[in-house]
Every structure is written in C-alpha cells, then in structure tokens.
Amino acid sequence: MAYDPASLDAPFKALAAFDWGHDAAPLAAIDAAVIAAHGDAAARDDVEKRLAAILAPGPTRAAKEYACRKLSMIGTAACVPAVAGLLGDADNSHMARFALERIADPEAVAALRAALGAVSGPLKIGVMSSLASRRDAASVPAIAALLKADQATAVAAAKALGAIQSPEAAEALAGAAGAAGGPLAAAIADARFECAEALLRQNRRAEAAAIYKAVATAAAGKPESRLIELSATRGLVACADTLAAF
Amino acid sequence: MQRSSTTRRGFLRTSATAAGAAATAPYVITSKALGDATTPPASDRIVMGGIGIGNMGSGDQGAFLNRPDVQYVAVCDVRKEWRENGKNRADATYGNKDCAAVIDFRELLGRSDIDAVHIATPDHWHALMTIAACQAGKDVYLQKPETLTLREGPLMVAAARRYGRVVSGGSQRVLDDYHDIVDPCWSGELGTIKSLDIAVGGPSMPCYLPAEPTPPDIDWELWLGPAPWEPYNAGRCAGNYGTGGGSWRSYIDYSGGSLTDWGAHHFGGAIFAADLRELQPQSVTYHPATADGKAAAYVTLTYPNSVEIHHNRPGHLQTVPPSAVHGGAIKIVTDGQPKAGKPVPLYRTPDGSGQTNIYGDFIECVKQRARPFRDIELAVNTMTAPHMVGLAYRLQRSLQWDRATQQFVGDEEANRLVDRARREPWIL
C-alpha cells in the first residue's frame, strides 16, 4: 500500500486523545502507514515526526505507549530526544526503553547511557536492562559501579554485565565477587558463567577455564554455593582441552 | 548429579531410619511419607511446586499430583482463587494442610526442598521464570508455547545447560496426537518429505480494552510483570483458550496468538513428523493476498534441507495427492519413494517401553538426569517457526534468518522484533 500522508491527519488527531477502551479503528491507519514506510525514507521521516510529537506533554499515556511501540519499529536518531525525554517518567519510562532499545542508531544507546545516572530505583534497573540488551560495552564502568548499590540494583548490574560480556565486564564481575554474598553472589557467578560461555563460543578456552576455576574455587566448601560449584565444574569440563594449563 | 533436594531426601531417609530404630516414627513421619506398595517413600519422590495454576496449570498440577513418585508441596498464583484451589486440591490429595500457597514465584523458587516446578503462566513470564528456576537449581516442566520472543529461546537453553537442569517443554500433543503423520513419515514408507501445509490461526493482536477496577484478589502488577503496564480488564487476563479477543492468548504483549498457542501443537507435530526439530528455518517468504481479495496472504518457511512449511496456504490442504494428513490441520507431501525408516523417539520410562505421557517423561528424566522428549532446545527450535511466520505477517515481507547469530539478514527493522524491552524491574 502506498504511503498517503494526507490520510493520516485524522488518525493522528484521534491518537493524541486515545485511551484504552476508545475506538481503535484510527490506529489501524497508522499501523498500515508504519508498514508502508518501509523502504520509503520520506514516508518514514513523516510518520516518525508525527509519532514523536505524541510524546510531548498533552497526549494520553495510552497514546504515548502506542507511539513508542511504533517508534520501536521505525524510529531513528531523529526521534531519540523526544523518546529519551520520557526515561525519567515512571509512567512512560518502560515504553521509552521499548523504543530506544530497538533503535539501532548510536544516539539511542547514548540516551540510555546518559539516563543511567539520572534515574533511580526501578527505572535505573530498567535502563540497565536495555543497555544490557544492547550489549553496550561503553556503559560497563557506570554499571560496574552499581555492583555496590542496594541489592536489587546490584543484582541487576551483575545481570547486565553478564549480558554485555566484554573483557571489562568480566573484570568488574571478578573484582566484585569476593565481597558479595547471597543473591548478589549468585547473580555475579551466573554473569561470570555467561562471560565464560561467550569466550568458549570464541574458542578462547583458557580464558573461559580461568573464570570457571575462579568461580569453582570461591564456591568450594560452601553448602549454599553447591549448585554454582557444580556448574563451574561443568564449565571446566567443557574447557577440558586447556585443563593441562592449570 | 546433585539436586537441590539431596539434603531434604537425605534428611528424610536418615530420619526415617533413625525414627524406625527409635520407634518414634508415628510422631515425625506419616505412613504416607514412608510409602507403601504403590507409593515410594517421600525420600524417593520428586518434590514439586507449580507456578500459574489456572486452566493449563490446573491440568498440569493434576497430572503431577496423580503420580505416586511426586510430592507436591507448593502452588503459586497471582490470583487468590486459583491459588487456593490449587492448595486445596493438593491438600485433599494428601489428606493434610501442608501445601504452601504463595503469590510471588520467587518465594517458591527460594525453597531448597523443591526439586522441580511446572510453569503455566501467560507466555510473557515463561523465559524469566524458567531461567530463574534453573538458577535456583530446579528442573522445569514449562507449558507451551515456551517462548514469546526469538531472543528468549537461546537464553533459556543456556540456563538449562549451565545448571544441568531438565527443562521440558509442554506440548503433550506432539507425540500423542499426530501418529497419523508421524508414524508413516518415520517409518520411511512415504519417502522423502518435500513440504508441509499447516492450517492454524494467525498472530496475536494489540489490546485496547478499557480500564476496569482491579479486583482485590489479583496482584495486577505481578500478573503484568515484564509486560507493558496497561490497565486491568478481565478480558485482558482471562485464561480461556480463545485467541480472538477477551483472553491473554489473544494479545501481543502476552502471547503469539493462535499461531504460537495451537501452533505449538500443529507446528510441533508437523516438525516432529518431518524430523526438523534440530533445525531452524533459514527463510520465511511472505505471499501477499491476491489483488482481487480471493486468496488471503500466506507464509512459507524454508529449512536448510529445503523442506518447506506453508502456513495457511489457500486451498492446499484440500488438494491431492496428500501423502499424510492430520485432519484438516496438516498435510505432508513426500516424493513417494519409500526409504529406510528409523524408530520414533518416545517418552522415557524406567523399562524403556515409552508407555507414559509427557509428564511421566519429565519425571523420569528428572530421576535419570536425561533430556526429555520436548527438551527445551527442541522446543525453542520448534517455536522459532511460528514466531518467524508471525513476524512475516506483521512486517508483510520476506526475511532471511541466520541461526548462528539469531538475527535476520539485512533487515534492521526485522531484527528489532527479535525481542522487546521488559518492564522494570524485570531483567532477562
């Protein structure tokens, strides 16, 4: 279906006032426009601008949610400022990430990185989740610093570093392992396993084995860490080619 | 292989022995716990709990409760009614009041005495809960469809392997209901499979239902979990099996719709019959509706071995000559040249007979530390097919899939749909 901008004025007007329970028929035209914009730069720019405008003060939460869903499909750097403006808003932060996490342009991940230090509580965990999904190595120092935060934030930081899997992430996890206990210790061990598995996939067995051995050694003799120790041992077996080096 | 229950079992075994010697058993161990001719002693039973005890969860709970080698100790549900029903059912089975009933799955997973859990929540919880269960050292029986997004699958497989967990998918129909296509395909009598046609409903849709007052007997925040916040509406979270609206199975935040719900069975049965469970599609082709509107759009998956699966290809379930058919849902076309067959994989049993069901297969694999019939990796591969079909319909274009990178080739917009951001504080 060809993109027809004039036909979108009324649907976007309806969207601005849209709420759950309203007639969703106007949204179908926007849905179609998003699909039709594929491969049509001018159409994409137009529909992106219209969607980004919904994120300004005024339109409903439901409208903003809808706009973020569509921007997650076709958004570019152009919409990032509008979307990022919602990251600190408890009602809309998640849907802002819903869009930013998927926008490949570096501006999107930069906005998430900037928000990490500006938001708090669950929103900070959410931003870390999105940075982890993007495997953003540049955010490792900021995330690593959160390994010393409250337990929920620290556990999320460990999970994020495990997803990023960069050498710096692995190093930060190793550095925090000794002082951690309880759920954080388990999360750090799990994240270190993820780093080791990534190394194994790259056939960097000696480096992977070093992680597994360190985790196994730290867990040895602790009944609460028996599962971790077994998993580390399983990892060491997978690295068997390099066991002679130890 | 160590299980989380070892301490508990060791305790029970030691206690029973010591108690017997000291003639104090009646005070600490019931006769049920000690077992009889048909029931193993508690120390040899798999201790289980259930998360999501609604429709399918209730069925799963019943299947496990009926097993003498299972001791069912806890239920978890965000709905009070289902939680209490599940507890009462377990208590009635054992004649006690011991079954715990909790709202938050993390509380259940934190119990060191539980060996295994079954999970039958809406799909948006599957990956998070399964991975958390593996991290907690639990084996998992997970209702189908096992995944909601393509990214979740490999992470679930990795967690299962990392912690040495038995994780079984939950389509009881794949082995039980499709003998009419599975048996002739695996026997080789039909020859080499060329293509399959599957008729099943389409993808899920957005939910725009109005806000209703949230009832006091549901934890709405926990029901939504990682899904986008939206207001409570009974139809949004209803657990009925419909996919046309008024049920969570209808809506994109919680389900892949009929395409993945019944699709888990039909794609599962067809993919099993064609022995494609180790593979993932390499491409998905979108065929637009005809301009005259007489033929609807349909989608074709192509596997690395050139086998094609057509979803809802107009008219083709009725054409002849079908080589093997399953009702009006699946048709398999072969070259008609008989070839050497191979034995159909069966459920695991103590005697190797395979005469059990998917629940028995799971329990036996928990005991033997073996991979079940619908091992999570096979389930993830299977679910990749309907997920890719759904994305092709949504984007209305064809896509190439690179299994190694778990990315679509040359389509940045399609790759955006491999996963979705989870609502804080949930992190995969």
Side-chain angles (χ1 to χ4, degrees):
Chain A
M1 189 179 73
Y3 184 74
D4 178 11
S7 68
L8 291 177
D9 293 344
F12 271 99
K13 186 177 178 184
L15 172 60
F18 181 78
D19 207 350
W20 289 287
H22 287 190
D23 176 16
L27 306 187
I30 303 175
D31 292 344
V34 167
I35 298 300
H38 177 66
D40 181 341
R44 182 171 174 158
D45 287 350
D46 181 59
V47 74
E48 181 181 17
K49 280 179 187 152
R50 292 173 186 257
L51 289 165
I54 297 293
L55 305 183
T60 63
R61 179 177 185 173
K64 287 184 168 65
E65 182 192 290
Y66 176 88
C68 286
R69 287 179 191 270
K70 297 303 158 186
L71 287 169
S72 83
M73 296 177 70
I74 62 159
T76 68
C79 75
V80 166
V83 180
L86 301 178
L87 284 171
D89 175 352
D91 281 354
N92 294 299
S93 184
H94 171 230
M95 294 313 294
R97 292 192 294 106
F98 202 96
L100 292 174
E101 195 171 302
R102 286 174 165 177
I103 295 172
D105 302 70
E107 288 84 350
V109 75
L112 288 164
R113 221 179 285 140
L116 185 60
V119 300
S120 59
L123 300 192
K124 191 184 287 286
I125 292 173
V127 171
M128 271 194 287
S129 171
S130 290
L131 288 165
S133 179
R134 295 291 295 257
R135 301 187 65 187
D136 179 43
S139 67
V140 165
I143 294 175
L146 295 172
L147 289 168
K148 294 177 181 172
D150 63 276
Q151 180 172 288
T153 304
V155 166
K159 287 173 179 271
L161 293 170
I164 294 171
Q165 297 165 5
S166 67
E168 294 77 15
E171 190 176 330
L173 289 163
L184 179 58
I188 288 176
D190 187 72
R192 298 184 79 188
F193 290 150
E194 286 200 74
C195 293
E197 289 161 12
L199 291 167
L200 266 178
R201 285 193 292 273
Q202 300 166 48
N203 208 28
R204 294 162 64 181
R205 291 169 178 263
E207 294 162 85
I211 292 176
Y212 285 127
K213 187 174 184 185
V215 175
T217 301
K222 298 177 183 172
E224 72 278 12
S225 301
R226 181 72 175 138
L227 182 67
I228 298 292
E229 185 183 5
L230 283 168
S231 297
T233 304
R234 188 177 296 107
L236 275 170
V237 170
C239 300
D241 286 355
T242 56
L243 281 180
F246 293 85
Chain B
M1 189 174 295
Q2 183 97 2
R3 275 211 302 273
S4 61
S5 64
T6 301
T7 300
R8 180 198 64 84
R9 290 183 186 182
F11 168 78
L12 283 172
R13 197 173 285 121
T14 304
S15 296
T17 304
T24 56
Y27 300 102
V28 294
I29 301 283
T30 66
S31 57
K32 184 93 172 177
L34 290 171
D36 54 30
T38 58
T39 304
S43 57
D44 288 341
R45 289 178 226 157
I46 306 300
V47 179
M48 287 194 70
I51 305 171
I53 308 293
N55 290 353
M56 283 310 301
S58 175
D60 293 344
Q61 184 197 26
F64 288 120
L65 265 179
N66 285 334
R67 296 189 59 88
D69 49 1
V70 166
Q71 185 75 24
Y72 200 99
V73 299
V75 294
C76 169
D77 204 293
V78 298
R79 293 176 193 261
K80 183 181 179 187
E81 179 186 357
W82 292 351
R83 198 165 59 240
E84 291 183 348
N85 287 347
K87 170 181 167 52
N88 292 338
R89 191 180 190 191
D91 288 347
T93 298
Y94 297 125
N96 59 30
K97 299 287 183 188
D98 292 351
C99 183
V102 301
I103 299 174
D104 191 324
F105 72 97
R106 291 167 293 191
E107 186 178 345
L108 189 150
L109 294 181
R111 283 182 56 159
S112 61
D113 62 329
I114 292 178
D115 301 314
V117 296
H118 65 89
I119 298 172
T121 60
D123 307 351
H124 63 285
W125 269 115
H126 285 181
L128 277 164
M129 287 180 174
T130 298
I131 291 169
C134 291
Q135 290 166 339
K138 316 303 183 195
D139 298 319
V140 181
Y141 177 86
L142 174 64
Q143 259 300 333
K144 61 82 194 167
E146 290 80 359
T147 55
L148 182 62
T149 73
L150 287 165
R151 178 181 172 236
E152 290 172 343
L155 298 177
M156 296 161 78
V157 174
R161 302 294 185 250
R162 184 180 306 147
Y163 293 104
R165 297 298 95 196
V166 175
V167 180
S168 172
S171 172
Q172 77 283 4
R173 296 180 185 274
V174 167
L175 185 57
D176 298 345
D177 287 9
Y178 298 91
H179 287 290
D180 45 6
I181 53 173
V182 169
D183 294 347
C185 287
W186 281 74
S187 74
E189 65 187 83
L190 296 177
T192 301
I193 293 169
K194 296 297 186 186
S195 69
L196 305 89
D197 276 273
I198 298 175
V200 72
S204 50
M205 55 189 167
C207 181
Y208 301 121
L209 291 171
E212 294 176 345
T214 306
D217 63 348
I218 185 172
D219 186 325
W220 185 238
E221 281 296 316
L222 208 46
W223 189 91
L224 287 170
W229 184 88
E230 295 203 338
Y232 174 85
N233 180 290
R236 185 187 299 278
C237 58
N240 66 67
Y241 300 115
T243 52
S247 68
W248 61 257
R249 286 180 171 82
S250 307
Y251 302 122
I252 197 166
D253 286 338
Y254 326 116
S255 169
S258 183
L259 187 58
T260 62
D261 200 63
W262 256 104
H265 295 315
H266 284 341
F267 276 93
I271 285 170
F272 177 47
D275 195 13
L276 298 172
R277 295 194 302 165
E278 302 279 356
L279 305 178
Q280 294 185 0
Q282 65 181 17
S283 69
V284 55
T285 304
Y286 178 75
H287 308 275
T290 55
D292 60 10
K294 290 183 178 175
Y298 75 96
V299 163
T300 300
L301 295 162
T302 303
Y303 279 76
N305 60 0
S306 299
V307 171
E308 293 183 330
I309 297 180
H310 307 287
H311 173 256
N312 287 357
R313 186 164 53 148
H316 280 263
L317 278 172
Q318 288 75 44
T319 58
V320 291
S323 294
V325 296
H326 176 80
I330 302 171
K331 184 185 76 174
I332 298 180
V333 175
T334 72
D335 64 3
Q337 304 297 314
K339 63 177 186 177
K342 48 190 177 182
V344 178
L346 296 174
Y347 295 136
R348 186 170 290 257
T349 52
D351 59 3
S353 68
Q355 296 300 309
T356 181
N357 55 32
I358 196 166
Y359 304 104
D361 181 62
F362 172 68
I363 293 298
E364 199 56 36
C365 288
V366 169
K367 294 175 183 174
Q368 297 184 26
R369 310 314 300 164
R371 292 191 184 176
F373 173 79
R374 193 171 167 94
D375 174 64
I376 186 63
E377 189 167 356
L378 303 179
V380 165
N381 289 341
T382 298
M383 292 312 303
T384 300
H387 284 315
M388 286 176 58
V389 169
L391 292 181
Y393 282 122
R394 189 170 172 194
L395 294 170
Q396 299 175 27
R397 59 180 182 265
S398 303
L399 306 165
Q400 300 285 323
W401 178 245
D402 181 347
R403 179 178 184 174
T405 61
Q406 293 286 294
Q407 294 279 290
F408 293 103
V409 180
D411 194 325
E412 185 268 325
E413 290 178 22
N415 281 325
R416 296 179 181 215
L417 305 183
V418 167
D419 198 28
R420 57 185 71 165
R422 285 159 190 81
R423 192 167 65 107
E424 58 277 354
W426 302 103
I427 177 169
L428 194 59

